[in-house]
Amino acid sequence: MALFYNLIIGFFGSFIGVLPPGLINMYAAKISMKEGRKRGLLFSVGVCITVMLQTYIALIFARYIGKHPEIVSMLQKVALGIFISLTIYFIFIAKDTRREFRDHGENSKKNRFFLGIFIAMLNLLPLPYWMYLSITFSAFGAFSFTQPQLLVAVIASGIGTFSSLALYVQFFRPKEDSRKLKLNMNYVIGLVTAVISIITFFKILRQI
């Protein structure tokens, strides 16, 4: 049963996490529109490899935290710093997602695969996301950190990520004369990280 729970949480956790519009899925949709679905899916495979690695690292850390609850306070302070930095980056520094992406170099299949790996590496949100998710479900006895179950969750996270990106690759087909996206998604991500920063800050204050 633990294997099944890890499979479900791994799949739907990543599927739902990647589903909201953001840099990665917009990139997948854009590559699909300009270069075809195959290259869009190849980009998605590259993303999945990075996501699985990030998920594995996050779950290892989460397992360690579960055995050493005394470091939770320190990690909350570190997380606060990370989320504040991400908020500043996405709101004030990151490129406006409403602008056109410019591709440099040859658009080969190999390039698209490694581009997916690289773009996903820029997104560090899966690390705290999976640490929080796994610890929360583990507290209810619905997630296991033992090695076979953990690997199942990692593989399921890759499948869930690919499934979510495949929806964008398959169905995101705006017409050439359609209106451009008026909302800068980096502002949305920045707002989310700002809210998480505030919540984390008040949690730290309550412990003082």
Side-chain angles (χ1 to χ4, degrees):
M1 187 60 72
L3 204 68
F4 176 74
Y5 283 151
N6 277 35
L7 176 66
I8 295 299
I9 293 171
F11 178 84
F12 284 104
S14 59
F15 182 85
I16 295 171
V18 179
L19 198 58
L23 177 63
I24 293 178
N25 40 36
M26 288 295 102
Y27 240 116
K30 193 172 186 68
I31 291 173
S32 175
M33 286 187 294
K34 288 191 172 184
E35 303 174 26
R37 290 188 177 93
K38 288 185 178 180
R39 291 196 178 182
L41 292 175
L42 194 62
F43 170 85
S44 302
V45 172
V47 171
C48 291
I49 290 176
T50 300
V51 168
M52 285 191 291
L53 178 61
Q54 291 174 328
T55 303
Y56 182 75
I57 294 172
L59 293 180
I60 293 297
F61 272 107
R63 182 171 63 184
Y64 180 81
I65 292 171
K67 295 178 180 179
H68 301 82
E70 66 276 5
I71 68 171
V72 171
S73 177
M74 181 192 69
L75 287 177
Q76 283 182 336
K77 295 174 183 177
V78 173
L80 177 61
I82 292 174
F83 282 119
I84 290 175
S85 300
L86 288 173
T87 300
I88 294 172
Y89 172 77
F90 282 114
I91 294 180
F92 299 106
I93 301 175
K95 181 180 177 181
D96 193 335
T97 57
R98 293 169 294 184
R99 296 177 184 175
E100 289 289 325
F101 293 114
R102 293 185 178 180
D103 297 323
H104 300 279
E106 183 184 358
N107 295 331
S108 66
K109 292 182 178 180
K110 191 175 182 180
N111 282 346
R112 287 304 168 221
F113 173 75
F114 286 108
L115 178 64
I117 294 177
F118 175 73
I119 293 296
M121 287 175 62
L122 297 178
N123 179 28
L124 299 177
L125 290 178
L127 294 172
Y129 173 77
W130 275 109
M131 288 177 65
Y132 176 80
L133 202 67
S134 60
I135 290 174
T136 301
F137 279 103
S138 176
F140 291 99
F143 191 90
S144 173
F145 288 106
T146 57
Q147 196 59 29
Q149 286 84 353
L150 188 145
L151 291 177
V152 167
V154 170
I155 295 172
S157 72
I159 297 173
T161 299
F162 183 82
S163 301
S164 187
L165 291 175
L167 291 178
Y168 279 87
V169 170
Q170 184 70 25
F171 298 111
F172 196 87
R173 284 289 184 275
K175 297 180 181 178
E176 290 296 328
D177 58 349
S178 63
R179 292 181 297 178
K180 293 183 179 180
L181 182 66
K182 292 185 177 182
L183 181 63
N184 182 2
M185 291 310 302
N186 284 328
Y187 289 161
V188 176
I189 298 174
L191 180 62
V192 171
T193 55
V195 171
I196 296 175
S197 298
I198 294 171
I199 294 173
T200 305
F201 177 73
F202 281 110
K203 281 185 177 180
I204 293 174
L205 286 181
R206 290 177 61 184
Q207 296 174 0
I208 298 176

